[in-house]
Amino acid sequence: MAGHPTPEHIMQVGLGFWASKTLLSAIEMEVFTELARHPEDFASLRERLGLHERSARDFLDALVALGFLEREDGVYRNTQATDLFLDRRKPSYVGGILEMANHRLYPFWGGLTEGLRTGKLQNEARAGDLPFFEAIYADPARLKEFLAAMTGLSHGANRRIAECFPWEGRSSFVDVGTAQGDLAVQVALAHPHVRGTGFDLPEVGPVFEDYVDQNGLSGRLTFHPGDFFADELPRADVVMMGHILHDWNLDEKRRLIAAAHRALPPGGALVVYESIIDDDRRQNAFGLLMSLNMLIETPGGFDYTAADCMGWMRDAGFTETRAEHLVGPDSMVVGIR
Amino acid sequence: MAGHPTPEHIMQVGLGFWASKTLLSAIEMEVFTELARHPEDFASLRERLGLHERSARDFLDALVALGFLEREDGVYRNTQATDLFLDRRKPSYVGGILEMANHRLYPFWGGLTEGLRTGKLQNEARAGDLPFFEAIYADPARLKEFLAAMTGLSHGANRRIAECFPWEGRSSFVDVGTAQGDLAVQVALAHPHVRGTGFDLPEVGPVFEDYVDQNGLSGRLTFHPGDFFADELPRADVVMMGHILHDWNLDEKRRLIAAAHRALPPGGALVVYESIIDDDRRQNAFGLLMSLNMLIETPGGFDYTAADCMGWMRDAGFTETRAEHLVGPDSMVVGIR
């Protein structure tokens, strides 16, 4: 039977939600935040987490087998990665996005078949409840948590853009949909000659200003409140949009690219980045699945290839375009006016 | 930054339910059954599947990127594995278990945190509806489909047991919880000197007898109806239990092992197999997650290590015990009376 196909990969992915939900429950129950205080043996960890004895050991050992915990002589501890990224008290915490995945996306993805058949989103907005972004923006504490989670998710790509984009000769930028402002902060930290603006809805202002202040950059980074469909973007040498374009339909994407074009001088650059799909649409599974997540979450959003994005940029009047891989599933597309 | 921890594995697993649900929806919408008829281009495939145009291409290309479809010159086709295992019209179809995962387990696993806190199952039985096994056993068509799905899931391990267990000198077996009877069939096909009995609830009889007849083994395999907690097992040289013990609590497991012991002659063998957890409980993630699935699905079931099982066997009077890996996550434990 060697070399014959087996159903193992099918079963692994088909039942892959088991591993996924196990990690999400661990984050919800703050397993990693608890163990970041100190390693613990089974009995005390179980008690502190409030786990029923029936399945506590299977749960913790599954986290060991999945590579999220270590266990030695019966004592559980975080791995280097889970200690850094899943301890809620560290600024490097990325669990916010996964808390949201646990509470919202996991059940909403249960409607995927319906979404594929109808083309309609499957989240709160489907039942007429307050859509997610509005709910988040209405609650300052939740907004701050969400924006910080976005930072955790994009921090690696932000640092990479600060490193690899040619900032020489460019003295200003605007980061559109800036959230907490980590992209702005990373660029400003790496390039002392650059001043930047974070552009987002007014509610985001205090969160942006806090974060910028913590990083000692209040003199060089300012917040500009606005709605990028209603208001003109501030003028700058570089316009950046990270994890923004995919939320919107094709017409809205083109409007955002045109707004960037108007904000740039000749020679100015638009930098778009997110989990951009490979041009042949057969490698970046995460990008393609993210696009299905836009089906679940938005009325018309979708992810796209670098070739798609470069086409829209050229249609909007950009003269040169190029794409470059950043980290993990993320790439950037650059258009020069 | 090289060598520093990244959040990539955390994100991949935490959002792993995206890939999982995408495959489950593809099975539900019969993508692979449709493409097993013939490869198709995007437009006709979309129409035949009833996919809305918004996300159809992302969905199909995500299946390409995940390794479940191939695409050449715009024409989609099954891979060798999905053609064999996910075409509903082939006897090798394993999708039944994943259809069940899609309809039942995916939403029920949404209750994992609650299950971990309370130790209580999270399926239909939680709300007082008819528990799954009873619902399945009450509907002959659904029962047949479920039992066939179990065959697809265990077929590889069944063939391996037929191959690697020493059947010389043993002339009879009983397969306890036989379902469709694939384990019985594989052993009988490989060992013409052996006669066997399939033991299961009476409703299973016709499905077992059909399958045995299709395999030309009606002369050597017979069905014995019964409830393994209420009735004695038929006597045989070998008693087999595949994917049975994990459904039950420790006391019930011990009762089943004791029943096997009573059914065996001195020197007779009990063969227990399923996704048995490695003794150190840090390798077989699937076995540990299957144990959490028993939390979701049963009042007291759990998976266990070979060492656990050998201990229960010795307590029941078995004199020799050993464990052996079969295929994928499955191993067997053998006890000699």
Side-chain angles (χ1 to χ4, degrees), chain A residues 225-243:
Chain A
D227 170 343
F228 49 54
F229 287 120
D231 305 309
E232 284 296 295
L233 299 178
R235 302 188 64 82
D237 293 342
V238 179
V239 174
M240 305 192 286
M241 294 181 183
H243 300 114

Side-chain angles (χ1 to χ4, degrees), chain A residues 71-335:
Chain A
R71 194 197 64 222
E72 215 169 323
D73 299 329
V75 173
Y76 294 88
R77 66 178 68 230
N78 287 336
T79 64
Q80 214 189 343
T82 54
D83 205 63
L84 187 58
F85 297 116
L86 295 178
D87 172 9
R88 202 190 278 263
R89 288 163 315 193
K90 291 199 177 76
S92 49
Y93 181 66
V94 301
I97 185 83
L98 297 176
E99 289 173 44
M100 184 177 101
N102 189 39
H103 291 129
R104 300 183 57 256
L105 298 180
Y106 185 90
F108 294 148
W109 269 72
L112 178 63
T113 302
E114 176 74 7
L116 290 169
R117 287 195 170 125
T118 62
K120 292 204 193 325
L121 55 73
Q122 300 295 315
N123 64 9
E124 301 90 345
R126 181 176 172 236
D129 295 349
L130 198 59
F132 174 63
F133 279 114
E134 271 114 273
I136 281 275
Y137 277 74
D139 173 347
R142 216 174 147 193
L143 177 62
K144 182 161 183 170
E145 184 186 67
F146 173 72
L147 298 175
M150 294 295 120
T151 296
L153 190 59
S154 58
H155 182 70
N158 295 343
R159 288 182 62 120
R160 185 87 190 119
I161 290 173
E163 255 172 52
C164 73
F165 182 81
W167 288 98
E168 313 83 61
R170 308 197 183 268
S171 63
S172 64
F173 67 82
V174 56
D175 180 29
V176 178
T178 193
Q180 203 174 25
D182 187 63
L183 176 55
V185 163
Q186 297 313 319
V187 171
L189 286 174
H191 302 281
H193 70 285
V194 175
R195 301 176 71 88
T197 301
F199 183 93
D200 212 318
L201 293 172
E203 296 90 326
V204 177
V207 179
F208 175 91
E209 280 157 4
D210 260 19
Y211 189 71
V212 165
D213 194 45
Q214 280 163 40
N215 284 277
L217 291 165
S218 300
R220 286 167 51 214
L221 296 177
T222 52
F223 186 75
H224 185 115
D227 170 343
F228 49 54
F229 287 120
D231 305 309
E232 284 296 295
L233 299 178
R235 302 188 64 82
D237 293 342
V238 179
V239 174
M240 305 192 286
M241 294 181 183
H243 300 114
I244 300 298
L245 278 192
H246 77 154
D247 286 337
W248 308 100
N249 70 26
L250 181 54
D251 175 58
E252 292 160 334
K253 283 175 168 72
R254 288 185 182 277
R255 285 167 59 198
L256 289 172
I257 291 170
H261 190 266
R262 288 193 302 276
L264 289 168
L270 168 59
V271 177
V272 162
Y273 92 86
E274 51 201 313
S275 53
I276 287 173
I277 299 167
D278 58 297
D279 285 348
D280 202 26
R281 296 172 58 87
R282 61 172 81 243
Q283 298 294 334
N284 190 350
F286 187 82
L288 288 156
L289 294 170
M290 180 62 88
S291 197
L292 295 180
N293 193 51
M294 293 303 108
L295 165 65
I296 300 292
E297 287 276 76
T298 71
F302 61 93
D303 288 72
Y304 49 86
T305 65
D308 293 334
C309 188
M310 292 194 287
W312 304 327
M313 285 177 170
R314 283 191 299 267
D315 290 348
F318 287 90
T319 55
E320 281 172 52
T321 58
R322 64 187 172 82
E324 190 172 328
H325 178 251
L326 296 170
V327 292
D330 284 345
S331 296
M332 70 173 172
V333 179
V334 178

Side-chain angles (χ1 to χ4, degrees), chain A residues 1 3-29 49-59 61-62 64-68 70-73 80-82 84-86 94-95 97-98 101-102 105-113 115-121 152-153 159 163 277 280-286 288-296 298-303 327-329, chain B residues 1 3-29 49-59 61-62 64-68 70-73 80-82 84-86 94-95 97-98 101-102 105-113 115-121 152-153 159 163 277 280-286 288-296 298-303 327-329:
Chain A
M1 295 290 286
H4 283 224
T6 75
E8 219 171 318
H9 179 56
I10 291 168
M11 287 297 160
Q12 238 165 27
V13 176
L15 299 175
F17 64 91
W18 291 2
S20 196
K21 190 63 181 69
T22 298
L23 176 58
L24 297 180
S25 283
I27 293 167
E28 178 183 359
M29 300 173 93
L49 295 173
L51 291 167
H52 187 276
E53 62 187 2
R54 177 178 172 191
S55 300
R57 199 181 287 274
D58 290 339
F59 175 56
D61 288 342
V64 172
L66 293 168
F68 300 119
E70 289 166 5
R71 194 197 64 222
E72 215 169 323
D73 299 329
Q80 214 189 343
T82 54
L84 187 58
F85 297 116
L86 295 178
V94 301
I97 185 83
L98 297 176
N102 189 39
L105 298 180
Y106 185 90
F108 294 148
W109 269 72
L112 178 63
T113 302
L116 290 169
R117 287 195 170 125
T118 62
K120 292 204 193 325
L121 55 73
L153 190 59
R159 288 182 62 120
E163 255 172 52
I277 299 167
D280 202 26
R281 296 172 58 87
R282 61 172 81 243
Q283 298 294 334
N284 190 350
F286 187 82
L288 288 156
L289 294 170
M290 180 62 88
S291 197
L292 295 180
N293 193 51
M294 293 303 108
L295 165 65
I296 300 292
T298 71
F302 61 93
D303 288 72
V327 292
Chain B
M1 295 288 287
H4 283 223
T6 76
E8 220 172 319
H9 178 57
I10 290 168
M11 287 298 159
Q12 238 165 28
V13 175
L15 299 175
F17 65 90
W18 291 3
S20 197
K21 190 63 182 68
T22 298
L23 176 58
L24 297 179
S25 283
I27 293 167
E28 177 183 359
M29 299 174 94
L49 295 174
L51 291 168
H52 187 276
E53 61 187 2
R54 176 178 174 192
S55 301
R57 201 181 286 276
D58 290 339
F59 175 55
D61 289 342
V64 171
L66 292 168
F68 299 120
E70 289 166 4
R71 193 197 65 222
E72 215 170 324
D73 299 328
Q80 216 188 343
T82 54
L84 186 59
F85 297 117
L86 294 179
V94 301
I97 186 84
L98 297 177
N102 190 39
L105 298 181
Y106 184 90
F108 293 149
W109 268 73
L112 178 63
T113 303
L116 290 169
R117 287 195 170 125
T118 62
K120 291 204 192 326
L121 55 73
L153 189 61
R159 287 182 64 121
E163 256 170 53
I277 299 166
D280 202 25
R281 298 173 57 88
R282 61 171 81 242
Q283 298 294 335
N284 190 352
F286 186 83
L288 288 156
L289 294 170
M290 180 62 89
S291 197
L292 295 181
N293 193 51
M294 294 301 108
L295 164 65
I296 300 292
T298 71
F302 61 93
D303 288 72
V327 291

